[in-house]
Amino acid sequence: MKSFAVAICAPSGTGKTTVARALVQGGTGLLFSVSATTRPARAGEQPGVDYHFVGRDEFEAMIERGELLEWAEVHGELYGTPRANLERAERQGELLILDIDVQGAQQVVTARPDTVTIFLLPPSLGALLERLRNRESEDEVRLRQRLETAQRELERLDAFEYVVVNDRLEETVARVSSIIVAERQRRERQAEPLAALRRRLQEDLERERR
Ligand code: 5GP
């Protein structure tokens, strides 16, 4: 099967990172794409695991060197996907799970039209606010900023192939897994092994009928 990317987008506070992480942990052949960012690490975040935390100069140098598959400014900080992540997934025959913003997802689709796009929705504004307020790093100014971005991102919902409401984590992960299982079975993604199997079956059928 040809390796491909799965972009998961959602308004901040929908639980997208939790879903993406749970998906990668519970599934096989899935690689979580660790992004580069200029934003400072939150408590408990590990460099190289959650993000590659870099300074603005280093981020700009990565852009210059063409090392990023996509990048965007979100809430005043820069975020980008290293091209190396996709190359690694391809080498290992894995799917790359991208936890990125809407602008980034559109750039990935332009670069790689076979990318699967999934939008997660919170069940209500109340649920979103609760998650955002529980994040210790969110002050009221940042919260407002995130709500404004959420409103802008919702307007782009129609550009996505799949939409899943993240009500219960387990159910959401199961639904997103089903999307991935189905996408893996697409004929065009299996082109080479399928051609070989089909040829063999045709030859065997011919022999059997003689
Ligand atoms: P946070 O700072 O809350 O971890 O992430 C803020 C936003 O940036 C989220 O919507 C997250 O998905 C997005 N983001 C994280 N990594 C990337 C990336 O590599 N590229 C883009 N375009 N967005 C990203």
Side-chain angles (χ1 to χ4, degrees):
M1 186 216 45
K2 204 163 150 259
S3 175
F4 58 96
V6 179
I8 304 182
C9 293
S12 186
T14 303
K16 165 181 52 165
T17 308
T18 313
V19 170
R21 290 283 181 185
L23 196 71
V24 171
Q25 265 165 22
T28 48
L30 306 177
L31 184 69
F32 183 84
S33 172
V34 180
S35 300
T37 184
T38 59
R39 96 148 154 72
R42 294 193 188 118
E45 282 185 332
Q46 284 178 13
V49 176
D50 295 289
Y51 281 105
H52 300 293
F53 297 101
V54 299
R56 207 164 251 265
D57 287 352
E58 174 57 14
F59 196 98
E60 280 163 5
M62 290 170 93
I63 300 174
E64 284 282 299
R65 294 194 296 260
E67 287 174 14
L68 300 177
L69 179 64
E70 62 73 36
W71 66 273
E73 185 162 346
V74 187
H75 311 130
E77 300 288 355
L78 303 176
Y79 294 81
T81 306
R83 239 174 243 290
N85 293 1
L86 188 58
E87 289 162 4
R88 189 169 148 215
E90 279 171 346
R91 235 182 3 256
Q92 296 175 179
E94 293 178 318
L95 308 191
L96 189 68
I97 306 296
L98 303 165
D99 163 359
I100 60 177
D101 89 314
V102 171
Q103 313 166 68
Q106 283 174 342
Q107 291 177 53
V108 177
V109 171
T110 303
R112 296 286 301 251
D114 64 341
T115 300
V116 177
T117 55
I118 305 176
F119 200 95
L120 298 187
L121 280 179
S124 65
L125 177 61
L128 192 79
L129 283 172
E130 195 184 311
R131 283 218 190 91
L132 284 176
R133 291 214 162 96
N134 282 341
R135 272 194 201 162
E136 284 169 25
S137 58
E138 304 302 331
D139 55 36
E140 278 301 313
V141 176
R142 283 199 187 176
L143 186 80
R144 293 278 133 214
Q145 203 179 32
R146 278 164 199 262
L147 294 182
E148 198 184 305
T149 310
Q151 196 162 7
R152 256 203 326 272
E153 294 202 321
L154 268 180
E155 285 166 14
R156 315 281 274 274
L157 181 81
D158 292 341
F160 286 76
E161 295 169 288
Y162 297 95
V163 179
V164 177
V165 176
N166 183 24
D167 202 346
R168 290 186 41 243
L169 177 68
E170 273 165 45
E171 246 170 59
T172 305
V173 172
R175 286 184 181 150
V176 175
S177 297
S178 312
I179 294 169
I180 292 173
V181 168
E183 284 289 339
R184 275 183 161 134
Q185 298 311 121
R186 272 191 189 275
R187 179 171 35 78
E188 58 273 26
R189 298 200 198 278
Q190 309 186 65
E192 278 173 38
L194 202 60
L197 176 60
R198 188 174 176 181
R199 213 170 27 245
R200 208 167 52 240
L201 284 172
Q202 268 168 341
E203 284 166 6
D204 290 349
L205 276 170
E206 201 119 313
R207 212 168 305 121
E208 188 67 29
R209 289 179 56 225
R210 261 191 233 130

